[in-house]
Amino acid sequence: MKKTFVVLAVVVSMVATMACGGAGKFKSEMDSLSYTIGANMGLNINFSVKDLNLDNDMVVENLKEFLKNGDVKSEEFMKDMQQLQMFMYTKYMPYMQVSAMHSKSDRTDTLPQLPQLYDEQYKREDIARLVGCDMAAGIKGAGIELNMPFFNEGMADGLKVKSEEKLDEGLRLTMEEMEQVSNSFGEKMEAKARAEYEAQLKETTEASQKWLAEVEQMEGVKKTESGLLYRIDREGKGKKPSKDTDVVVVNYEGKVRSGEVFDSSYQRGEPIEFALNGVIKGWTEGLQLVKVGGQITLWIPAELAYGDQQRSELIVPGSALEFKVELLDLNPKKSKK
């Protein structure tokens, strides 16, 4: 694709690049934002997608349908995007490369024949649907509740623009004003996300600390200087790991504070092997407390686990974790020599 306009980065780049001038032409910031997003979608269909030679009405129809009913997390959408990506790499890019060669020479008879962009595998109407869904997914994924009448108006205006050199003509907001609307909204989204993150971090940290304090009172639980809590559930008969570079083979189950399992070698049906210096600090320290053949339970504070990182839907910033670990072998390659 050629030039991309202020498309709200196909939107969280869309969202991260979008600020509130020109909003006086609308009653609310969301009205001006909706118009801005719509106008940029129209401009992109008008100019950036034109090399695909698609039916613009079909692209718009599918874009609106996905905004209404689409699901960016669905398996169907993922497959659609894989198909679109394959089309872009195997058909569109080679097409544009050969097309560019033609445009640079009058001796077209000596150049490769311009390939066909569409065939039985990639039909024009199918690609129009995929492009429309892809464009809508940026908005949908950002979770923006558009004012649809203004979005539709903006898209219609963007589609009517005749020249890339005169983009402001026919639009209710200039390109500069739309950029200001976008930037203002992006800043507010970032501030909101930051506030939500900090609130979640505080809540989770406090809950984790309370949980660890309760665990510490349990029978058999000990605490190291670092704050790691552990309990030897089964004494082993082998050696203990003694240095960070030791390689261990373990079976394990990891849980969050609620007791929900987030990872388990038992569920996968096979143990894992790793060096102690390649895992979280709580594991590096904790596995040096148990002998081969033994089992240990670790309660790991966030600072010895993933800290303020979001690792998954279950492991949020500030999460303390619980692991049940069986040490099956130590430095297995060395022991086989």
Side-chain angles (χ1 to χ4, degrees), residues 7 17 62 73 100 150 171 179 206 209 244 307-308 330 336:
V7 188
T17 49
N62 283 283
K73 296 182 179 181
F150 288 103
L171 299 177
E179 184 175 4
E206 291 176 352
Q209 290 172 345
D244 292 357
D308 57 3
L330 174 62
K336 292 176 182 178

Side-chain angles (χ1 to χ4, degrees), residues 245-303:
T245 54
D246 280 338
V247 175
V248 297
V249 179
V250 304
N251 263 323
Y252 71 96
E253 178 181 78
K255 298 179 181 179
V256 290
R257 187 179 72 254
S258 67
E260 191 168 355
V261 175
F262 63 84
D263 192 12
S264 172
S265 67
Y266 298 104
Q267 292 179 2
R268 291 193 296 272
E270 59 180 352
I272 65 168
E273 177 182 323
F274 56 85
L276 289 182
N277 58 11
V279 289
I280 58 176
K281 294 179 180 178
W283 272 56
T284 303
E285 180 183 0
L287 286 177
Q288 295 183 59
L289 302 172
V290 64
K291 298 176 182 179
V292 173
Q295 177 178 298
I296 188 171
T297 299
L298 304 172
W299 291 271
I300 305 178
E303 58 269 25

